[in-house]
Amino acid sequence: MIELGRDDYDVFANQVLWSLFGITAVIVALRIFCRIYFGTHQRAGLGLDDYITVFCLILSLVVCILVTIATGYGLGKHVYELDENQKMNSLKYNAIINAVQIWQFSLPKFAIIAILKRILNYGTKTTVLFWTLGITSQACILAVSIWWFRQCSPVEYVWDKSIEGGTCAHISVMSNLAYFTSSYSAFLDIFFAFYPLPFIMRLNMPLRSRLAVAGALSLSSLAFVVSVIKLTALGQAFAISETDPTYPVPYLDILGMSEGYILIICSSLPTLGPLFRAAKGKLTSRDTSTNKSGARVGGSSLHSLHKSFANSKEQRLTDELERSIGGGNSSSVDDIPLVSTSHGFQSSSNATNTRIQKTVNISVTSEAIEHESQPQTHSAQIF
């Protein structure tokens, strides 16, 4: 699983990590543009999920820079190919990278939680559940980060084995911590990918909009797939690290960073809806103007008016979703079972009491044919 036909991972890790960073940076930039430009029209703007996403992107940039520096010293190559100075510096940067990089694939879960709050507007109990899951995950991440520097005494003995009297804990301690943290992270990836889908599909939105949001969020299940691959590689990676500590590290960095990038991208896709609709509207208007001719001005105008009415109707139906994702107030009732919906029934009953009723008087006249009798009139009042 680790070999993959490669003698080293230094150049390969840089190519993959910087390519993924570039793609993610473009998507996050479009996300911020949509929030600032389109959010102004909806009295919305940047929210907590946007700030978390930007912070995760900055953290990804820091990790990419550290990996580039570390591979320059020989990280990703076999340890027997390095001199003592390269070995010491590559292991030092490896400890720093691993202590920082694990936050890159764990913090984006808070961005998922925050954007679900915008879309579903869930209540207090669901908020407590989601944030408890996220915070406990960060507690595990913090334990791993600290242990990277506490596993050896003194700390410098992690990368400088020439220090006399230095000792290190058995590698199985780090291995067990990594297994548990990665497993818990994989569980949260699949949980936040599929748990909200039934509630998104029950929103009072057009089916196409609901499917788009649900599909974008469910794509974060790919992070679960990456986590499973990483879990299968951990055992072999730690076994190799006992004799060749500089070789397998970048491979694990690629898997960990990929998980974080997937979560960042999937949490950003639902916010790009206004941009897609604006691009579609511009293309549609261009096609309409091109098809106009002097002989069909009336027909084309009527067709354009009908199409414009249909588009405006669809836009009104999607306004509520735009306000939810864009940071505005949503009028939908929270259907999540952990949240009380008494306010929804109260508002519904008030709406019933204040509705307008129309009374119609209908007069019905009947006349017998065989008898010359006067017509009989019956009146009824229908509400």
Side-chain angles (χ1 to χ4, degrees):
M1 188 66 178
I2 300 294
E3 291 295 337
L4 293 178
R6 295 187 175 274
D7 293 329
D8 56 64
Y9 280 99
D10 51 351
V11 177
F12 179 72
N14 280 296
Q15 291 174 343
V16 173
L17 293 181
W18 282 108
S19 299
L20 291 175
F21 175 79
I23 295 172
T24 308
V26 171
I27 293 177
V28 172
L30 292 175
R31 171 193 184 128
I32 301 302
F33 171 77
C34 289
R35 285 293 171 84
I36 295 176
Y37 181 77
F38 295 101
T40 304
H41 304 290
Q42 300 167 1
R43 301 183 300 278
L46 298 177
L48 177 61
D49 54 325
D50 302 301
Y51 295 116
I52 295 175
T53 302
V54 172
F55 178 76
C56 293
L57 185 66
I58 295 174
L59 197 61
S60 302
L61 176 61
V62 172
V63 175
C64 286
I65 294 173
L66 290 174
V67 169
T68 300
I69 296 173
T71 53
Y73 284 111
L75 190 68
K77 295 181 179 294
H78 293 285
V79 69
Y80 54 79
E81 300 176 358
L82 310 177
D83 57 37
E84 287 301 320
N85 182 64
Q86 289 177 321
K87 177 182 176 181
M88 184 177 65
N89 283 288
S90 61
L91 291 177
K92 185 199 312 188
Y93 277 101
N94 174 48
I96 298 173
I97 290 170
N98 283 281
V100 176
Q101 183 254 341
I102 53 178
W103 295 95
Q104 187 267 350
F105 65 80
S106 62
L107 288 176
K109 294 175 176 57
F110 286 111
I112 298 287
I113 293 173
I115 198 172
L116 287 177
K117 176 65 176 177
R118 282 191 167 194
I119 297 174
L120 299 176
N121 193 25
Y122 48 76
T124 304
K125 293 182 180 180
T126 305
T127 302
V128 171
L129 172 65
F130 284 178
W131 282 87
T132 300
L133 292 174
I135 291 174
T136 52
S137 173
Q138 304 314 302
C140 298
I141 296 296
L142 180 62
V144 175
S145 296
I146 295 175
W147 185 249
W148 267 109
F149 295 98
R150 297 297 298 172
Q151 61 179 326
C152 292
S153 178
V155 175
E156 293 80 5
Y157 194 70
V158 174
W159 55 83
D160 187 3
K161 302 300 182 184
S162 63
I163 298 177
E164 295 183 1
T167 58
C168 285
H170 195 271
I171 196 172
S172 62
V173 179
M174 176 59 74
S175 177
N176 292 333
L177 273 174
Y179 267 116
F180 178 78
T181 303
S182 298
S183 300
Y184 191 34
S185 178
F187 161 73
L188 292 183
D189 290 338
I190 201 71
F191 176 82
F192 288 120
F194 293 110
Y195 177 81
L197 297 188
F199 311 110
I200 292 174
M201 295 306 296
R202 289 209 294 265
L203 291 175
N204 187 23
M205 295 292 110
L207 179 61
R208 184 170 59 182
S209 299
R210 285 177 284 165
L211 290 176
V213 175
L217 292 177
S218 63
L219 284 177
S220 60
S221 60
L222 295 176
F224 169 78
V225 177
V226 175
S227 295
V228 172
I229 297 175
K230 183 174 62 177
L231 282 170
T232 60
L234 278 178
Q236 188 179 357
F238 280 111
I240 295 175
S241 295
E242 293 190 49
T243 56
D244 195 0
T246 59
Y247 173 66
V249 175
Y251 178 77
L252 297 179
D253 292 338
I254 291 173
L255 293 177
M257 295 284 285
S258 299
E259 180 183 356
Y261 285 135
I262 290 173
L263 293 177
I264 293 174
I265 292 173
C266 291
S267 66
S268 300
L269 289 180
T271 66
L272 305 183
L275 185 62
F276 293 146
R277 276 187 289 275
K280 180 182 177 182
K282 185 174 293 187
L283 292 175
T284 303
S285 62
R286 182 182 301 175
D287 293 341
T288 302
S289 60
T290 303
N291 291 334
K292 284 185 178 181
S293 60
R296 294 178 297 179
V297 171
S300 299
S301 301
L302 183 61
H303 174 72
S304 300
L305 181 61
H306 175 74
K307 196 166 189 177
S308 175
F309 174 77
N311 291 335
S312 63
K313 181 179 179 181
E314 181 179 351
Q315 183 63 37
R316 287 195 302 271
L317 291 174
T318 57
D319 278 344
E320 187 175 349
L321 182 60
E322 290 298 324
R323 288 194 297 271
S324 299
I325 300 179
N329 295 326
S330 174
S331 60
S332 62
V333 178
D334 187 358
D335 289 330
I336 297 182
L338 297 174
V339 183
S340 174
T341 58
S342 58
H343 60 281
F345 293 114
Q346 184 177 358
S347 61
S348 176
S349 61
N350 292 337
T352 304
N353 295 333
T354 58
R355 65 185 181 181
I356 300 175
Q357 296 182 351
K358 181 177 180 180
T359 303
V360 181
N361 292 322
I362 299 178
S363 179
V364 180
T365 302
S366 61
E367 180 177 356
I369 297 177
E370 52 278 347
H371 303 285
E372 296 182 358
S373 58
Q374 296 295 328
Q376 298 178 359
T377 302
H378 304 279
S379 296
Q381 195 174 52
I382 300 176
F383 296 94

